[in-house]
Amino acid sequence: MIRRPTLAVVAEAAGVSLKTASRVLNREPNVAPATRERVLDAATSLGFRRNAVAADLARGGYSRLVGFITGDLANEFYSALASGIERELREHGLQLLTASSDEDPEREESLTGELLERRVGALIVTPAGADHSALRGEIAAGLTVVVVDRPATGVDVDTVVIDNRGGTQAAVRHLLAHGHRRIGFVGDEPHLWTYQERSTEFLDVMHDAGVADAERWLRSGAHDAAAARELVRELLAAPEPPTAVLAANNRATVGTLQALRDVPGGRDVAVVGFDDFELADLLGITVVAYDAVEMGRRAAELAVARSAEPDRAVALVVLPTRVVPRGSGERRPR
């Protein structure tokens, strides 16, 4: 294995002390121009690369890296979040390190430990776990923590979420207004806060509309399109199948469309999807939309502000949602 030259090798090649070489490569002042040039020439010729993380830690601080623990990197929603975070951090000279928990609380805990071992300057998390009180000590020691998409339990930290209940309420009322009473709900894993918010609001609105048995059309476990497809097929095979489906995440929407394609009369079923997604406009899919990139940007903005002012009041940012009608959610029951 080829190893990079150490700082000591650079210092020896330049004929200076280790301390002087360190001051030059860390861009510190009060070094003679000739000495600075000699050290930089030696570093270039040897292929030396400065370890910025180690340099930051040597000065007693955190690194310029910000860790982001996301739910699922393959999901375009989380990609949009990461994009918004990265763009904002870049403006402040910070770099993003992203890892995926796959919505597994144990994996989230493991990834948190690994990122903390690397002394990230801040941690942005989409919580999968139910309890984050283990972070209290790190926060007390100066670590910045921001959660996005879902609140954390056990710690009081800056939080960015969307108006899940408002978006669900608007979607259900939209379907009710188009004559639907048998409305299916296909959502993510039951332990997730977003599922709980959306499913609870779904039932509340349906009950308020006089649909007392709405629970029979509620399904969970649609973390991917394949699972959603099976759940929708199950709903459509019931004695009284739904005439409309609210798919409570982008993967569930895709699976719903696949199921409706494969079932006779499926194309008559109205669909509203929670989360916009690529090609939804071309496919004519009515969605509950919001700005996922802006969610990420606001989370990063809070992380930067918290790092600069640790004692500032904890912030809760709730971004608005809106129903975007494109045709699928405006079909009337037959």
Side-chain angles (χ1 to χ4, degrees):
M1 178 184 296
I2 299 176
R3 297 185 178 275
R4 288 191 177 276
T6 64
L7 180 62
V9 172
V10 173
E12 182 179 357
V16 299
S17 68
L18 189 63
K19 183 177 181 179
T20 298
S22 175
R23 290 178 62 192
V24 171
L25 296 171
N26 284 316
R27 304 177 182 87
E28 295 179 15
N30 303 319
V31 177
T35 301
R36 184 181 302 278
E37 183 176 357
R38 197 161 68 248
V39 171
L40 292 176
D41 286 346
T44 300
S45 63
L46 290 168
F48 175 83
R49 186 175 293 276
R50 175 177 175 268
N51 188 330
V53 173
D56 287 341
L57 299 183
R59 289 193 290 270
Y62 286 93
S63 76
R64 294 184 181 90
L65 293 175
V66 174
F68 174 39
I69 301 178
T70 179
D72 181 359
L73 282 173
N75 189 320
E76 64 182 79
F77 164 70
Y78 294 111
S79 298
L81 272 184
S83 175
I85 294 170
E86 195 277 333
R87 292 179 191 179
E88 180 66 20
L89 294 180
R90 189 191 313 156
E91 296 296 319
H92 299 275
L94 302 171
Q95 294 180 322
L96 184 64
L97 183 62
T98 304
S100 176
S101 70
D102 294 325
E103 305 292 13
D104 181 343
E106 291 185 2
R107 179 165 172 75
E108 179 194 331
E109 183 178 354
S110 175
L111 288 171
T112 297
E114 291 175 13
L115 290 170
L116 293 181
E117 286 178 2
R118 288 165 174 75
R119 295 289 297 278
V120 292
L123 191 61
I124 300 174
V125 183
T126 300
D131 183 12
H132 293 79
S133 57
L135 286 172
R136 288 177 186 167
E138 296 291 341
I139 294 170
L143 177 68
T144 292
V145 176
V146 176
V147 295
V148 61
D149 188 45
R150 308 157 192 161
T153 302
V155 289
D156 190 18
V157 295
D158 296 316
T159 303
V160 182
V161 295
I162 61 170
D163 184 7
N164 287 282
R165 287 182 176 258
T168 303
Q169 181 182 113
V172 178
R173 287 182 174 175
H174 185 81
L175 291 169
L176 289 167
H178 285 82
H180 297 278
R181 306 285 289 177
R182 303 201 308 265
I183 302 173
F185 178 96
V186 181
D188 210 325
E189 301 296 341
H191 73 276
L192 297 177
W193 179 81
T194 44
Y195 170 85
Q196 295 165 9
E197 289 286 287
R198 297 172 192 179
S199 62
T200 299
E201 188 65 23
F202 165 76
L203 293 175
D204 286 348
V205 177
M206 292 289 280
H207 292 163
D208 288 346
V211 184
D213 57 351
E215 287 86 353
R216 64 175 169 150
W217 294 304
L218 187 147
R219 297 291 184 275
S220 63
H223 183 57
D224 56 37
R229 183 171 63 246
E230 294 308 312
L231 291 171
V232 173
R233 285 176 175 171
E234 175 187 314
L235 282 170
L236 296 177
E240 288 187 290
T243 60
V245 174
L246 172 55
N249 62 55
N250 55 5
R251 295 293 183 82
T253 304
V254 173
T256 297
L257 296 175
Q258 292 171 340
L260 296 179
R261 176 198 61 195
D262 299 336
V263 174
R267 297 183 187 276
D268 295 328
V269 176
V271 177
V272 175
F274 207 113
D275 303 336
D276 209 348
F277 61 96
E278 190 175 8
L279 300 182
D281 55 340
L282 296 179
L283 294 172
I285 307 303
T286 299
V287 298
V288 177
Y290 53 91
D291 192 339
V293 174
E294 177 64 7
M295 281 185 73
R297 192 196 70 77
R298 295 294 294 273
E301 185 178 63
L302 286 174
V304 171
R306 174 68 55 192
S307 296
E309 190 181 349
D311 296 327
R312 68 195 301 270
V314 171
L316 170 63
V317 176
V318 181
L319 297 181
T321 57
R322 68 190 189 282
V323 172
V324 181
R326 293 175 177 149
S328 70
E330 293 68 60
R331 299 171 189 149
R332 292 189 172 273
R334 293 194 177 187

